[in-house]
């Protein structure tokens, strides 16, 4: 019996299977980026009048710029400028340190219920995730994708373990498993596990499933974090 030949055939089959997986992942990545560009571009164009209304309402409600920019950490630890409609008072970043003792989330993330920094209009746009819409520009630029781990703050990444850093292996996203899976009711380690689960399961079906469930969460008025 030619065991050497049989072993060689097994190795060859495994290599072919690995090559096929690599090609599928490469094709998925290219198509996903193409869809990100097209959908974000047309989304920005179609939503422009709505954006102008939101900007005016935010400026009337409280002082400060209507579009809030912040440094976030993206793929492979690369920092980028992250866009949101401002939902908090103009000096919210400074007040964060003063409120740190009220943090209700474990790990490096920060979250408190009934955050006093949130404005009246801010509460509404956060409730329906409208504040996240400027991230369509981040997606168009290539900083983010529609689906992927939520981009963290630099101060949070500084506290990451090697396990936590795995969530930076791909582009951050507008929505992810965490967004549709209880959000504030899970630990930070479970949040990271969800992101790693997504990285391992990345596919068009997974993206579509998460994207559609995100609309359900938004319309259920659970808001965004």
């Amino acid at each position: 019996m030619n065991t050497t030949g049989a072993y060689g055939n097994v190795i060859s089959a495994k290599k072919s299977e690995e090559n096929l997986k690599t090609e599928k992942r490469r094709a998925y990545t290219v198509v996903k980026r193409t869809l990100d560009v097209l959908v974000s571009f047309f989304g920005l164009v179609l939503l422009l009048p709505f954006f102008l209304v939101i900007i005016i309402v935010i400026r009337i409600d409280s002082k400060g710029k209507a579009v809030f920019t912040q440094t976030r950490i993206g793929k492979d630890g690369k920092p980028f400028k992250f866009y949101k409609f401002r939902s908090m008072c103009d000096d919210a970043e400074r007040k964060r340190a003063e409120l740190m003792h009220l943090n209700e989330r474990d790990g490096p993330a920060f979250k408190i219920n009934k955050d006093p920094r949130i404005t009246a209009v801010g509460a509404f746009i956060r409730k329906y995730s409208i504040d996240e819409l400027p991230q369509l520009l981040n997606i168009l630029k290539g900083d983010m994708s529609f689906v992927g781990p939520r981009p963290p703050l630099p101060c949070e990444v500084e506290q990451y373990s090697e396990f936590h850093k795995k969530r930076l292996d791909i582009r951050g996203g507008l929505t992810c498993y965490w967004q549709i899976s209880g959000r504030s009711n899970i630990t930070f380690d479970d949040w990271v596990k969800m992101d790693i689960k997504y990285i391992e399961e990345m596919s068009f079906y997974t993206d579509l499933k998460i994207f559609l469930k995100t609309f359900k969460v938004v319309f259920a008025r659970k808001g965004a974090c």
Side-chain angles (χ1 to χ4, degrees):
M1 180 178 180
N2 188 353
T3 56
T4 302
Y7 179 74
N9 289 336
V10 171
I11 296 297
S12 179
K14 286 184 176 180
K15 286 184 177 179
S16 296
E17 184 178 346
E18 290 174 359
N19 290 337
L20 181 60
K21 287 182 179 179
T22 300
E23 288 300 318
K24 285 184 177 179
R25 178 57 67 92
R26 185 178 293 115
Y28 160 77
T29 301
V30 171
V31 175
K32 179 175 183 177
R33 178 60 192 147
T34 301
L35 289 173
D36 280 344
V37 171
L38 292 175
V39 176
S40 61
F41 174 77
F42 286 109
L44 286 167
V45 172
L46 292 173
L47 290 172
L48 183 57
F50 179 66
F51 280 13
L52 294 175
V53 172
I54 295 297
I55 288 171
I56 292 171
V57 173
I58 291 173
R59 291 297 299 274
I60 291 173
D61 178 60
S62 60
K63 68 176 183 179
K65 295 180 179 179
V67 178
F68 172 72
T69 60
Q70 187 180 55
T71 299
R72 293 289 182 106
I73 303 300
K75 184 178 184 296
D76 300 327
K78 182 180 177 181
F80 67 93
K81 187 178 289 186
F82 178 87
Y83 304 103
K84 293 184 75 172
F85 283 127
R86 182 174 57 81
S87 61
M88 294 185 174
C89 57
D90 198 37
D91 58 349
E93 290 292 280
R94 180 183 62 79
K95 290 185 176 180
R96 173 181 167 130
E98 300 172 4
L99 298 169
M100 191 59 71
H101 66 287
L102 299 175
N103 188 18
E104 299 172 8
R105 190 179 295 284
D106 70 316
F110 178 79
K111 172 69 177 178
I112 57 176
N113 287 323
K114 298 182 180 179
D115 194 321
R117 300 172 299 168
I118 298 176
T119 64
V121 170
F124 176 81
I125 64 176
R126 286 166 69 94
K127 187 175 185 178
Y128 294 98
S129 297
I130 294 170
D131 60 321
E132 309 286 354
L133 291 178
Q135 287 155 48
L136 289 172
L137 181 57
N138 286 122
I139 295 172
L140 182 63
K141 290 170 59 183
D143 301 323
M144 294 172 56
S145 180
F146 274 101
V147 182
R150 290 296 290 163
L153 292 164
C155 62
E156 295 172 350
V157 176
E158 288 173 1
Q159 302 176 60
Y160 275 11
S161 65
E162 289 303 312
F163 168 68
H164 297 150
K165 289 179 181 177
K166 291 179 181 179
R167 67 191 303 269
L168 303 177
D169 286 348
I170 63 172
R171 284 191 182 97
L174 188 64
T175 187
C176 57
Y177 274 132
W178 171 72
Q179 294 285 96
I180 62 174
S181 304
R183 302 179 181 186
S184 300
N185 301 322
I186 63 173
T187 66
F188 183 67
D189 278 351
D190 286 338
W191 177 357
V192 175
K193 288 176 184 177
M194 287 183 181
D195 288 336
I196 295 174
K197 170 183 167 68
Y198 171 72
I199 293 171
E200 293 172 345
E201 296 179 350
M202 286 171 63
S203 69
F204 294 117
Y205 171 74
T206 301
D207 288 349
L208 181 61
K209 177 178 66 175
I210 292 174
F211 202 73
L212 292 177
K213 284 188 177 181
T214 299
F215 282 101
K216 182 179 179 180
V217 169
V218 171
F219 288 124
R221 301 185 180 184
K222 293 182 180 179
C225 299

